[in-house]
Amino acid sequence: MIKRYFTLLILVQLLGSCSESEPTKVVTPIAIEKDSVSLWIEESKNPKSTELQKAAVLKNAYQYALSTTSDALKAKYFSFLSENLYLTGDSTLFRKINKQAISINRKLNDSLPLGYAYWDLAEFFKTYSVKDSAYNSYSEAQKVFENSKEQQLSGRMYLEMAKIQSEIKDYVGSETTSTSAIERFKPLADNLFLYYGYKSLGISLGGLGEVEKSQTYYHEALYYLKLADLDKVQEASIINNIGVLYRDNKQYKIAIDNFKTVLKTDSLIIKNPSLYAKALSNLASSKLYDNDTLGVNKLFLEAIEIKKKENLTASLASSFFNYAEYKAFANDTLSAITNAKIAEELSLKSEGNESLLEVWPFLATLDNKKAPDYFKKYIQLDDSLQKEERKLQNKFARIRFETDEFIAENVELETEKEVLSKQKQIWIGIAAGFFLLGLSVYIIINQRAKNQKLRFDQQQQANNQEIFNLMLMQKQKVDEVKRLEQKRISEELHDGVLGKMLGARMVLTGLNKRATEEAIQEKSKALGSLQEIEHEIRSISHELSHSAYQKINNFTDSIESLLSGGNKNIKTIFNYNEDESWDSLEGTIKINVYRIIQETFQNAIKHANCTIFEITFYRTDDVFNVIMNDNGRGFNINKGKKGIGIRNITSRIDKLNGTYHVDSVQGKGTTISLQIPVNKNLVNTTDNNTQLKNVY
């Protein structure tokens, strides 16, 4: 039954049902000393003063400013008065003051106060609902701010213009203007006004029926709202708008969830009773349209009561209309008509034409006798509004066209300036031609020399790497020869000399039994000397044998030297299996791994701001694994271009036919893992359970 009441409705109440909360005009106050003008302004704001007293002091301030002989001081006075008086009841005085402010600031070519004066005028017209004049004044202010490179103020004027366009249902124009505002805020990273800009886009697209795009922009507004760190009331306002969008798109259950979320906002009824009442009314209407009337009557009555207290006449009309729909759904026709007439009365009182376009067709369906009168009123009002909206839209289009022409003229002037500048540059170029020619020859020769030096340096670096590789290999071979020689000497001492000495001692032992007392003593001394030689040779043999079997890893020594020569404030840890034959790795692998570790360690010192840098070597099958990690600040690996460090790692790992992985979390450090295939001649001398050596 409820569906038939919407057959004659023209527009969705998106703007009427949404909770709007726009930024107020906050500008840098004009510096005025505590003279007569400022004192009169303060006196006019005294709540104890009568209207006549306020008018008298404001006129005194105006006359004082008018009598000032200094144009600069007069401009300050009138700008100050214009900023403080646009909300006063004396509209005639304000117009005089504002006109003077615009005129004198234009004369002085003081662009910023001129823009503020137009802004004051726009706010004045906005207060009195003169939309076309307000739009035009905002447009003038925007052009001034744009020329003054005041991008934020220019964007704010665009936002105000977009809001007026939405109010007259020029949603296409509002979308374009909102986009222009966002383009000004984006380079400034102004999260607060980006929130307002995307909210305005959401309203415009909702008016155009672009539901998905509208939702997207509302969620974008929520994103910037959180970045701007505003309170939950602003977030609730956006969620309420999204709920209205779902409700008007007949997705009632989703709309109900959104309105319930709004009502759960902490202390919303205290912080913003208007938004709370609107959410109550929107929830009730959504449940009604979903044919769920449980608790709807209570919701409507609570919303109506709050709106009465807050004196929200236009919004109250909307609630009474929805309540009338509920009564009609409950087949209480008399009550439905009564509430609809209350909605009609409130709409007429608040000049809520959109509400009247809903109420009159609804009353026509309930009261058959007066239906022709209601339809007649509806048609007359609808035609009148459409004509007025078209008129305003055309006027705004002309203003936009004039603004575009103004911008085009500025572009043309800039082009002319560029032409003159280029001509001047040509003459300067001709005059300095020979000098530039000589300079060019010098630069070319110098550049060639630099290129040659660069190629030489690159070749030298390659040679240095090769030399380093050869030195490692040579040292490895020398150490191997030393180990073999030590082992040979050990075996000769043990098996040769020591054996002979032992035989001699045994002979002497036998002689000792058959000799005289004196001979026995001498032989005993000789025997003792031989035994001492035996112990000494055995000790030397053991030391040489231990040295022969002990590995000296020059590759790991190089890594330890690299780490020890870094920043003393960084703790370095080197984990590796000291029984592994790391020096048997190919020279290409060692030099490239050394360079990768060197560059990673330097990057950690310079950029990571870490306190611990750790390296781990280990072997799995035929793969040499290197893990480097730090506890620094990390970085986002998914954003930005790869740095030269990552590109160098990629290049070196590709040479080794290996792979690598970078894992970094902001605030939790970075880990780089290398996996390099190696030949099977890297012999693992111990089992895989051998404890790694830790080097600090």
Side-chain angles (χ1 to χ4, degrees), residues 424-518:
K424 185 178 180 180
Q425 290 174 359
I426 289 172
W427 285 107
I428 293 173
I430 293 173
F434 288 105
F435 172 75
L436 293 176
L437 181 62
L439 183 63
S440 299
V441 172
Y442 169 76
I443 291 173
I444 291 172
I445 295 173
N446 187 51
Q447 190 63 40
R448 286 181 177 177
K450 287 182 178 179
N451 291 339
Q452 186 175 2
K453 184 177 183 301
L454 179 62
R455 287 193 296 270
F456 175 77
D457 290 342
Q458 291 174 343
Q459 184 62 42
Q460 188 177 34
Q461 184 178 7
N463 292 339
N464 288 340
Q465 291 181 349
E466 185 65 25
I467 290 169
F468 180 77
N469 186 27
L470 292 172
M471 287 174 64
L472 287 177
M473 293 177 65
Q474 183 180 13
K475 191 165 180 32
Q476 178 183 344
K477 290 179 179 179
V478 169
D479 290 340
E480 184 65 24
V481 170
K482 284 170 63 178
R483 286 196 297 270
L484 292 174
E485 186 64 16
Q486 287 172 346
K487 185 177 180 182
R488 184 186 65 79
I489 294 172
S490 173
E491 290 174 350
E492 287 182 359
L493 286 173
H494 187 277
D495 297 338
V497 177
L498 195 61
K500 293 177 181 179
M501 301 280 276
L502 181 61
R505 184 169 62 85
M506 292 176 67
V507 170
L508 289 172
T509 301
L511 292 173
N512 192 42
K513 295 179 180 179
R514 293 183 282 106
T516 62
E517 185 66 26
E518 184 179 353

Side-chain angles (χ1 to χ4, degrees), residues 402-617:
E402 290 171 0
T403 302
D404 292 340
E405 280 193 330
F406 175 79
I407 294 172
E409 288 176 1
N410 284 341
V411 171
E412 187 176 350
L413 288 173
E414 290 295 330
T415 304
E416 290 179 0
K417 288 181 181 179
E418 288 179 3
V419 170
L420 292 174
S421 177
K422 286 181 179 178
Q423 289 177 350
K424 185 178 180 180
Q425 290 174 359
I426 289 172
W427 285 107
I428 293 173
I430 293 173
F434 288 105
F435 172 75
L436 293 176
L437 181 62
L439 183 63
S440 299
V441 172
Y442 169 76
I443 291 173
I444 291 172
I445 295 173
N446 187 51
Q447 190 63 40
R448 286 181 177 177
K450 287 182 178 179
N451 291 339
Q452 186 175 2
K453 184 177 183 301
L454 179 62
R455 287 193 296 270
F456 175 77
D457 290 342
Q458 291 174 343
Q459 184 62 42
Q460 188 177 34
Q461 184 178 7
N463 292 339
N464 288 340
Q465 291 181 349
E466 185 65 25
I467 290 169
F468 180 77
N469 186 27
L470 292 172
M471 287 174 64
L472 287 177
M473 293 177 65
Q474 183 180 13
K475 191 165 180 32
Q476 178 183 344
K477 290 179 179 179
V478 169
D479 290 340
E480 184 65 24
V481 170
K482 284 170 63 178
R483 286 196 297 270
L484 292 174
E485 186 64 16
Q486 287 172 346
K487 185 177 180 182
R488 184 186 65 79
I489 294 172
S490 173
E491 290 174 350
E492 287 182 359
L493 286 173
H494 187 277
D495 297 338
V497 177
L498 195 61
K500 293 177 181 179
M501 301 280 276
L502 181 61
R505 184 169 62 85
M506 292 176 67
V507 170
L508 289 172
T509 301
L511 292 173
N512 192 42
K513 295 179 180 179
R514 293 183 282 106
T516 62
E517 185 66 26
E518 184 179 353
I520 290 173
Q521 289 179 357
E522 290 297 325
K523 291 175 184 178
S524 179
K525 289 180 182 180
L527 189 63
S529 297
L530 286 174
Q531 194 169 10
E532 288 178 3
I533 293 171
E534 177 187 343
H535 288 310
E536 184 176 355
I537 293 173
R538 186 183 300 274
S539 176
I540 293 171
S541 174
H542 287 170
E543 288 179 4
L544 288 172
S545 178
H546 176 72
S547 176
Y549 286 101
Q550 182 181 6
K551 293 180 183 239
I552 301 175
N553 290 310
N554 294 294
F555 180 44
T556 54
D557 288 347
S558 300
I559 302 300
E560 290 174 9
S561 297
L562 172 64
L563 295 179
S564 63
N567 193 326
K568 300 302 181 182
N569 296 325
I570 298 178
K571 179 181 179 181
T572 58
I573 303 173
F574 184 22
N575 304 313
Y576 64 92
N577 185 351
E578 61 180 337
D579 291 323
E580 193 79 58
S581 181
W582 300 110
D583 278 336
S584 64
L585 288 167
E586 292 182 2
T588 305
I589 294 176
K590 288 186 287 187
I591 185 63
N592 281 286
V593 169
Y594 180 86
R595 292 301 184 193
I596 290 172
I597 293 173
Q598 184 182 43
E599 183 155 6
T600 304
F601 186 40
Q602 291 300 320
N603 285 340
I605 293 173
K606 292 179 181 178
H607 307 299
N609 196 22
C610 63
T611 58
I612 298 175
F613 184 82
E614 183 175 6
I615 300 174
T616 300
F617 284 3

Side-chain angles (χ1 to χ4, degrees), residues 275-317:
L275 176 58
Y276 186 83
K278 288 177 182 178
L280 280 175
S281 185
N282 290 337
L283 175 60
S285 62
S286 298
K287 288 172 68 69
L288 174 62
Y289 301 155
D290 198 34
N291 297 322
D292 177 11
T293 58
L294 183 63
V296 167
N297 187 70
K298 182 181 178 182
L299 291 171
F300 274 130
L301 292 177
E302 186 180 354
I304 289 170
E305 189 64 28
I306 295 173
K307 290 180 180 181
K308 283 181 179 179
K309 289 181 180 178
E310 296 296 319
N311 196 26
L312 304 172
T313 307
S315 184
L316 190 59

Side-chain angles (χ1 to χ4, degrees), residues 116-150:
Y116 287 146
Y118 276 119
W119 192 352
D120 297 334
L121 186 58
E123 294 291 328
F124 169 79
F125 285 128
K126 179 181 175 182
T127 303
Y128 289 96
S129 298
V130 187
K131 291 183 172 60
D132 55 345
S133 297
Y135 183 91
N136 184 61
S137 298
Y138 281 129
S139 177
E140 291 294 329
Q142 185 275 324
K143 286 187 282 189
V144 172
F145 291 140
E146 186 76 17
N147 283 338
S148 304
K149 309 298 182 184
E150 294 288 342

